[in-house]
């Protein structure tokens, strides 16, 4: 964690949608990128459910239905997957609740649930200010404040330290309450405390940590409950313990419990001389407890003043949620207007990154041309941008320094919540879209295309072949060699409906490295067909180690390669492949003798980039790009260099957040295209040819065959002379190494369709690298030879004995 002076708070200043009114005593949970807020009060108790999307920076009010609970404050609020549980709280002044509600957030459906009472003892009494924590399939209720008076207007407070366990049913519903028998000294009664549950990785039992609270005076004690042995203890801690407090928040990220805000005693407090101050004040202090070492660390002390409004002002009764490694804080109250004796509530939204982001996935290729790459990588949650770098074996030539495309970024502070701030550096794309993950499951007799709102890229079929040109006879001899030796191109990409452009002119293995969503369609006659495909253009491998040991998995695809005896052929006929190796996590370094120089392509807001140029850095220096706590280079002062046709480039990417630049991804290598080869076939369709008397799920022995069809390449680069279609087949080689696919050619001709017979399908290999699928490849040939192929994965059931629809 950064030192206190380096904390990089961000206030969200631009957002859309209906912003909830300021309040305190509300609660919030996170479901993926959504922050869901319920309850609280300020001039009345709120009963709306508000949702904030941290990616789109939008507030919205979902249309809830069902048994909508009344508004409440200081209630229990936990999230289990996509269901949320609400227990207790104050429903009006002096009247508390002990009712339990469940919200199915996937349908915004409320339901009142009635758990069974404990086998011995009474169920929890109505209360507020309790803690309600989830671990596994159980919720743990501790403490709170009850009203001893039956008259809600005559409030007689009673602090609680009772402990209940609520067992949940899977998915929806609850079983009932129980009262666990605990050992050791029980914490004193309290309300407005916090409780979190943490379990060490690979060892130890889950433990609940209770901190602070109120029982007539603020508390600063820390208690630990072992949930396996049900033993209470008071751990000894190191470091400076935060001031006694209540109405604070506690959030766990990694092995740290972050404590922010709350009510704390006045300095030199004298209640008799300052009755209007109500013996408390709000604080903006910020500390964390390392739950592994039991050591406190102060990040912002109570004595630190903030004169620049660079962090949240003091508050209590706010909410905090952790999304990834980022903490969000919203609203709360900061004190009383003494003259009016009314509370003042904050309406601001802040976030803080607690650590640098993890490394993104490898850079993946969507499309390659002679002088550009369209690339993408998997999104990293809660980041402000991405630094993309490349290097090449080519000597860096003098490039034009057109600074009109490179704005001065020195000292820039990225605001991901400002609309329209797609990128801050040239070469980012303004007119490209992110890849989407889809699975086609069309209805009977329909042809389904990707929906436009999925923003799918359909440029996979426009890619040109990247490798050196060979003549037609070379291709034919390679195919014969491939069939004779049961060898062939090997790729299995596993993301949605994708298209893989692969080189079928050689017998060397290839790896899909792209995740663009194609416009592939699925045709159905008697049964639903599921397909997926993947797209690769211009990747090249020259790393011998990765070829001989290529059995590791990446997040994108499962890759394997030929035996080491084939390495020489790879070196002389490099084709569409990717390779990966670990890279240093430090983006700031000097270039040693013999090392390749990494150059910045730019800083991108989104996880896609159209790369046609890169920036040349001073000789002997690596990238010095820094974000947040450091400077961003002035790109307008750097020279640019264009990409060159037929050239290999290595890429890596790092994510950026308020703590700086994280570690770089593994390296991917792609090659720009040489003009003249045809693109990949597109819009692949599969329809079954079934016996009329067959119903329900069938195996291939009952299938007469399938009809495989496709559209010609959008960029044929001349006349198409023929197409070839291939099927991955079962062999002893695959049984020994399931990730190495072997292909058999099942069609060669001018037509854009073919029948795959039941006999051929009986020999099909089921690829289990992700979802079970049968793999087809289709490529086109022109005067120069075969171009990249489209790979289609026909999704199957989970039966390994017989492939199903």
């Amino acid at each position: 964690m950064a030192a206190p002076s380096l904390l990089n708070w961000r206030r969200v200043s631009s957002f859309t949608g209906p912003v909830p009114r300021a309040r305190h005593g509300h609660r919030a949970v996170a479901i993926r990128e959504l922050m869901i807020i319920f309850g609280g009060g300020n001039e009345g108790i709120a009963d709306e459910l508000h949702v904030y999307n941290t990616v789109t920076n939008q507030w919205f009010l979902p249309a809830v239905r069902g048994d909508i609970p009344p508004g409440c404050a200081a209630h229990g609020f936990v999230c289990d997957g996509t269901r949320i549980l609400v227990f207790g709280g104050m429903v009006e002044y002096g009247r508390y609740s002990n009712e339990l509600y469940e919200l199915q957030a996937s349908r915004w459906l409320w339901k009142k649930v009635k758990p069974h009472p404990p086998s011995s003892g009474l169920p929890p009494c109505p209360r507020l200010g309790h803690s309600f924590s989830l671990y596994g399939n159980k919720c743990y209720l501790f403490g709170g404040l009850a009203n001893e008076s039956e008259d809600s207007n005559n409030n007689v407070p009673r602090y609680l330290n009772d402990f209940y366990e609520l067992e949940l049913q899977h998915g929806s519903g609850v079983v009932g309450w129980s009262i666990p028998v605990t050992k050791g000294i029980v914490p004193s009664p309290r309300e407005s405390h916090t409780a979190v549950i943490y379990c060490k990785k690979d060892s130890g039992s889950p433990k609940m940590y209770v901190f602070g609270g109120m029982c007539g005076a603020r508390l600063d004690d820390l208690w630990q409950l072992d949930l396996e042995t049900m033993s209470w203890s008071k751990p000894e801690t190191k470091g400076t313990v935060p001031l006694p407090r209540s109405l604070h928040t506690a959030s766990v990220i990694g092995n740290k419990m972050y404590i922010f805000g709350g009510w704390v005693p006045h300095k030199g407090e004298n209640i008799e001389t300052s009755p209007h101050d109500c013996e408390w004040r709000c604080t903006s202090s910020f500390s964390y407890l390392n739950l592994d070492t039991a050591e406190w660390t102060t990040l912002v002390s109570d004595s630190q003043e903030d004169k620049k409004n660079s962090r949240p002002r003091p508050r209590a009764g706010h909410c905090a949620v952790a999304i990834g490694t980022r903490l969000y804080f919203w609203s709360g109250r900061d004190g009383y207007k003494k003259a009016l004796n009314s509370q003042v509530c904050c309406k601001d939204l802040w976030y803080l990154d607690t650590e640098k982001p993890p490394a993104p996935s490898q850079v993946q290729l969507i499309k390659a041309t002679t002088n550009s790459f369209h690339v993408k990588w998997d999104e990293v949650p809660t980041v402000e941008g991405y630094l993309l770098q490349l290097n090449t074996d080519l000597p860096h030539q003098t490039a034009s320094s057109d600074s009109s495309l490179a704005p001065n970024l020195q000292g820039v502070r990225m605001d991901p919540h400002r609309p329209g701030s797609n990128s801050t550096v040239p070469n980012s794309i303004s007119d490209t879209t992110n890849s989407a993950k889809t699975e086609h499951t069309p209805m009977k007799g329909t042809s389904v295309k990707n929906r436009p709102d999925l923003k799918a890229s359909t440029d996979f079929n426009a890619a040109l072949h990247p490798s050196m040109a060979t003549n037609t006879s070379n291709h034919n001899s390679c195919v014969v060699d491939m069939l004779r030796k049961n060898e062939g191109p090997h790729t299995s990409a596993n993301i949605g409906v994708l298209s893989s452009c692969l080189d079928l002119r050689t017998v060397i293995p290839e790896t899909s490295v792209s995740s663009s969503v194609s416009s592939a369609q699925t045709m159905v006659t008697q049964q639903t067909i599921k397909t997926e495909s993947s797209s690769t253009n211009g990747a090249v491998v020259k790393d011998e180690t990765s070829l001989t040991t290529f059995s590791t998995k990446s997040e994108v695809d499962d890759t394997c390669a030929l035996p080491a005896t084939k390495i020489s052929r790879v070196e002389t006929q490099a084709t569409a492949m990717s390779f990966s190796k670990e890279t240093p996590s430090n983006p700031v370094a000097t270039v040693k003798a013999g090392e390749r120089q990494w150059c910045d392509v730019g800083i991108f807001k989104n996880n896609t980039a159209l790369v046609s140029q890169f920036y040349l850095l001073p000789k002997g220096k690596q990238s010095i790009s820094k974000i947040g706590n450091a400077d961003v280079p002035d790109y307008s002062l750097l020279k640019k260099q264009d990409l060159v046709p037929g050239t290999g480039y290595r890429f890596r990417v790092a994510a950026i957040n308020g703590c700086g630049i994280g570690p770089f991804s593994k390296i991917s290598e792609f090659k720009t295209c040489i003009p003249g080869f045809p693109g990949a076939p597109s819009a692949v369709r599969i329809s079954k040819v079934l016996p009329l008397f067959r119903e329900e799920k069938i195996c291939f022995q009952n299938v007469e065959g399938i009809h495989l069809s496709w559209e010609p390449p959008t960029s044929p680069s001349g006349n198409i002379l023929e197409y070839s279609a291939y099927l991955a087949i079962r062999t002893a080689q695959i049984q020994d190494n399931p990730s190495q696919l072997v292909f058999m050619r099942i069609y060669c001709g001018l037509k854009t369709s073919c029948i795959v017979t039941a006999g051929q399908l009986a020999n099909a290999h089921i690829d289990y690298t992700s979802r079970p699928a049968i793999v087809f490849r289709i490529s086109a040939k022109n005067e120069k030879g075969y171009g990249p192929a489209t790979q289609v994965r026909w999704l199957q059931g989970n039966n390994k004995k017989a492939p199903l629809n």
Side-chain angles (χ1 to χ4, degrees):
M1 184 69 189
S5 59
L6 297 179
L7 287 178
N8 222 327
W9 293 94
R10 299 280 203 269
R11 180 172 180 173
V12 181
S13 56
S14 300
F15 34 73
T16 59
V19 181
R21 59 190 170 103
R23 64 192 66 189
H24 62 95
H26 52 290
R27 299 291 187 261
V29 295
I31 298 180
R32 293 188 290 272
E33 74 275 12
L34 302 180
M35 180 171 68
I36 301 173
I37 296 170
F38 181 69
N42 183 32
E43 300 178 356
I45 295 178
D47 59 358
E48 313 97 357
L49 188 78
H50 290 268
V51 181
Y52 175 70
N53 188 314
T54 61
V55 174
T56 63
N57 195 31
Q58 180 183 22
W59 288 98
F60 65 93
L61 279 163
V64 296
R65 55 196 175 92
D67 305 324
I68 300 175
C72 57
H75 47 286
F77 201 55
V78 298
C79 180
D80 174 31
T82 58
R83 70 167 163 177
I84 296 172
L85 293 171
V86 179
F87 174 75
M90 181 173 69
V91 292
E92 62 182 49
Y93 179 78
R95 189 166 71 88
Y96 308 151
S97 168
N98 63 347
E99 293 180 337
L100 182 67
Y101 289 85
E102 176 186 273
L103 172 69
Q104 291 290 341
S106 59
R107 296 175 287 162
W108 302 119
L109 178 65
W110 283 106
K111 180 183 178 182
K112 186 175 182 180
V113 291
K114 296 182 179 180
H116 295 298
S119 57
S120 60
L122 298 174
C125 65
R127 67 189 65 202
L128 62 75
H130 47 282
S131 60
F132 196 52
S133 309
L134 172 75
Y135 188 83
N137 68 331
K138 293 180 180 178
C139 288
Y140 298 93
L141 170 68
F142 175 74
L145 180 70
N147 185 1
E148 288 283 78
S149 173
E150 296 182 358
D151 181 7
S152 61
N153 294 320
N154 181 25
N155 196 1
V156 180
R158 177 169 64 96
Y159 294 99
L160 305 171
N161 66 343
D162 50 357
F163 179 62
Y164 286 86
E165 185 178 85
L166 176 66
E167 185 178 353
L168 310 181
Q169 292 178 346
H170 179 71
S172 178
V174 298
V175 177
W177 294 104
S178 62
I179 303 176
V181 177
T182 61
K183 307 171 187 175
I185 299 174
V186 179
S188 60
R190 65 194 64 205
E191 57 103 359
S192 297
H193 56 283
T194 55
V196 302
I197 297 177
Y198 169 73
C199 184
K200 286 185 180 180
K201 288 184 177 180
D202 304 324
S203 65
S205 58
K207 295 177 175 60
M208 185 173 78
Y209 294 87
V210 175
F211 176 72
M214 171 73 172
C215 62
R218 269 84 208 170
L219 303 171
D220 63 354
D221 50 350
L222 177 72
W223 293 84
Q224 173 185 288
L225 174 66
D226 189 310
L227 295 180
E228 284 191 358
T229 63
M230 286 296 166
S231 300
W232 285 103
S233 62
K234 202 170 182 179
E236 294 184 5
T237 61
K238 295 172 285 186
T240 302
V241 178
L243 287 176
R245 65 192 62 213
S246 62
L247 289 175
H248 54 286
T249 55
S251 309
V252 174
I253 296 179
N255 65 345
K256 298 179 179 65
M257 177 178 73
Y258 292 91
I259 303 292
F260 176 74
W263 290 350
V264 296
H266 270 296
K267 298 175 183 176
E269 176 182 296
N270 188 330
I271 300 175
E272 295 180 358
T273 59
S274 55
H276 296 293
D277 288 336
C278 302
E279 72 179 10
W280 59 265
R281 64 182 174 88
C282 291
T283 183
S284 60
S285 60
F286 188 43
S287 304
Y288 72 77
L289 175 69
N290 186 314
L291 297 172
D292 291 335
T293 63
E295 182 174 5
W296 286 102
T297 299
T298 301
L299 300 174
V300 178
S301 68
D302 288 276
S303 61
Q304 284 180 275
E305 294 185 7
D306 180 26
K307 298 179 180 179
K308 298 181 180 179
N309 295 320
S310 59
R311 66 172 185 264
R313 71 180 191 259
R315 66 193 64 209
H318 52 285
C319 69
V321 295
I323 298 179
T325 59
R326 177 174 288 179
L327 273 174
Y328 282 86
F329 303 91
W330 183 73
S331 201
R333 63 182 179 187
D334 68 354
Y336 279 99
K337 289 181 180 178
K338 297 179 182 179
L340 302 177
N341 197 32
S342 62
Q343 296 157 2
V344 178
C345 286
C346 315
K347 199 176 181 178
D348 47 355
L349 174 64
W350 294 78
Y351 69 84
L352 176 72
D353 290 308
T354 60
E355 58 188 58
K356 291 183 178 181
S361 64
Q362 281 181 270
V363 177
Q364 306 152 34
L365 186 63
I366 295 175
K367 177 183 175 181
T369 69
T370 55
N371 58 4
S372 70
F373 296 111
H374 186 185
V375 296
K376 75 175 289 291
W377 50 90
D378 290 350
E379 288 184 338
V380 178
T382 63
V383 298
E384 299 180 8
Y386 302 91
L387 171 63
L388 181 65
Q389 293 184 333
L390 65 73
N391 69 34
T392 180
D393 293 327
L394 284 180
H396 295 322
Q397 302 170 358
T398 302
S400 61
S401 180
D402 182 4
S403 61
S404 63
L405 294 178
N408 189 329
L409 295 179
Q410 197 165 25
V412 69
R413 177 165 173 162
M414 300 178 64
D415 184 1
H417 299 281
R418 181 172 292 114
S421 59
N422 181 41
S423 91
T424 61
V425 177
N427 287 326
S428 60
I429 54 175
S430 59
D431 57 351
T432 54
T433 55
N434 293 338
S435 298
K437 298 181 180 181
T438 65
E439 177 179 308
H440 285 292
T441 310
M443 300 300 292
K444 179 178 179 181
T446 62
S447 173
V448 179
K449 294 185 178 181
N450 289 337
R451 300 195 316 235
D453 61 324
L454 292 175
K455 298 183 178 179
S457 168
T458 59
D459 287 334
F460 72 92
N461 53 355
L464 297 175
H465 190 273
S467 62
M468 300 302 293
T470 58
N471 58 32
T472 305
S473 62
N474 284 343
H475 167 72
N476 293 335
S477 63
C478 286
V479 170
V480 172
D481 187 42
M482 171 173 56
L483 298 180
R484 183 182 299 121
K485 296 183 178 182
N486 285 333
E487 297 172 348
H490 304 31
T491 299
S492 62
N494 311 303
I495 299 184
V497 179
L498 308 171
S499 164
S500 177
C501 302
L502 308 161
D503 179 18
L504 293 181
R505 297 181 303 117
T506 63
V507 301
I508 67 173
E510 296 158 353
T511 302
S512 169
V513 292
S514 167
S515 298
S516 81
V517 179
S518 76
S519 58
Q521 303 176 3
T522 304
M523 293 293 294
V524 178
T525 53
Q526 297 294 323
Q527 295 285 334
T528 295
I529 301 291
K530 299 179 182 179
T531 66
E532 63 178 11
S533 51
S534 55
S535 161
T536 280
N537 303 299
V540 62
V541 170
K542 296 181 180 178
D543 184 85
E544 294 188 9
T545 304
S546 65
L547 288 174
T548 56
T549 62
F550 226 160
S551 59
T552 59
K553 290 185 178 182
S554 72
E555 292 182 41
V556 179
D557 33 56
D558 295 331
T559 306
C560 64
L562 288 180
T565 55
K566 297 296 182 181
I567 290 178
S568 60
R569 300 187 67 177
V570 176
E571 293 172 341
T572 57
Q573 293 180 307
T575 64
M577 297 182 66
S578 73
F579 77 97
S580 63
K581 60 179 73 174
E582 298 293 341
T583 62
S585 62
N586 183 7
V588 183
T590 57
V591 179
K592 298 179 181 178
E595 287 188 356
R596 303 183 182 102
Q597 184 183 34
W598 287 99
C599 298
D600 287 3
V601 176
I603 298 171
F604 299 85
K605 176 67 172 67
N606 295 322
N607 64 326
T608 60
L610 185 60
V611 182
S612 60
Q613 295 176 320
F614 57 94
Y615 292 94
L616 300 178
L617 294 167
K619 186 176 181 181
K621 294 291 183 181
Q622 293 271 49
S623 169
I624 56 172
S625 305
K626 295 181 182 180
I627 297 293
N629 298 321
D631 295 329
V632 175
D634 185 353
Y635 285 103
S636 66
L637 301 179
L638 301 179
K639 292 183 178 181
K640 294 181 292 184
Q641 182 162 313
D642 295 329
L643 302 189
V644 179
T647 304
Y649 294 90
R650 287 163 289 276
F651 286 87
R652 66 181 187 179
V653 65
I656 303 165
N657 67 11
C659 291
I661 300 175
F664 278 100
S665 66
K666 295 180 180 179
I667 296 172
S668 297
E669 186 169 350
F670 313 121
K671 193 173 184 180
T672 48
C673 297
I674 295 178
F677 290 94
S682 62
V684 179
R685 301 173 179 86
I686 298 176
S687 57
K688 284 184 179 179
V689 182
L690 305 177
L692 295 179
F693 56 86
R694 294 292 180 183
E695 296 180 355
E696 300 179 350
K697 291 188 175 181
I698 57 172
C699 63
F700 280 147
Q701 286 79 356
N702 298 324
V703 179
E704 292 183 353
I706 64 168
H707 184 258
L708 188 66
S709 63
W710 56 88
E711 297 292 334
T714 57
S715 55
S717 300
N719 295 323
I720 298 298
L721 303 180
E722 67 183 25
Y723 297 93
S724 285
Y726 300 85
L727 169 68
I729 59 173
R730 292 195 307 272
T731 66
Q733 179 182 348
I734 294 183
Q735 291 177 356
D736 295 336
N737 188 354
S739 60
Q740 279 195 329
L741 300 182
V742 175
F743 284 82
M744 174 181 69
R745 184 157 69 178
I746 54 176
Y747 171 77
C748 181
L750 274 172
K751 292 183 179 181
T752 57
S753 65
C754 67
I755 296 293
V756 185
T757 66
Q760 291 171 326
L761 291 174
N763 293 319
H765 166 68
I766 307 298
D767 177 31
Y768 286 93
T769 52
S770 61
R771 290 170 290 181
I774 294 169
V775 183
F776 296 97
R777 289 180 180 172
I778 307 162
S779 63
K781 174 186 173 185
N782 65 8
E783 291 84 352
K784 279 208 168 185
Y786 272 86
T790 297
Q791 174 169 297
V792 176
R793 303 182 78 248
W794 179 20
L795 299 181
Q796 304 297 308
N798 293 319
N799 186 350
K800 293 190 177 183
K801 294 183 179 180
L804 302 176
N805 66 317

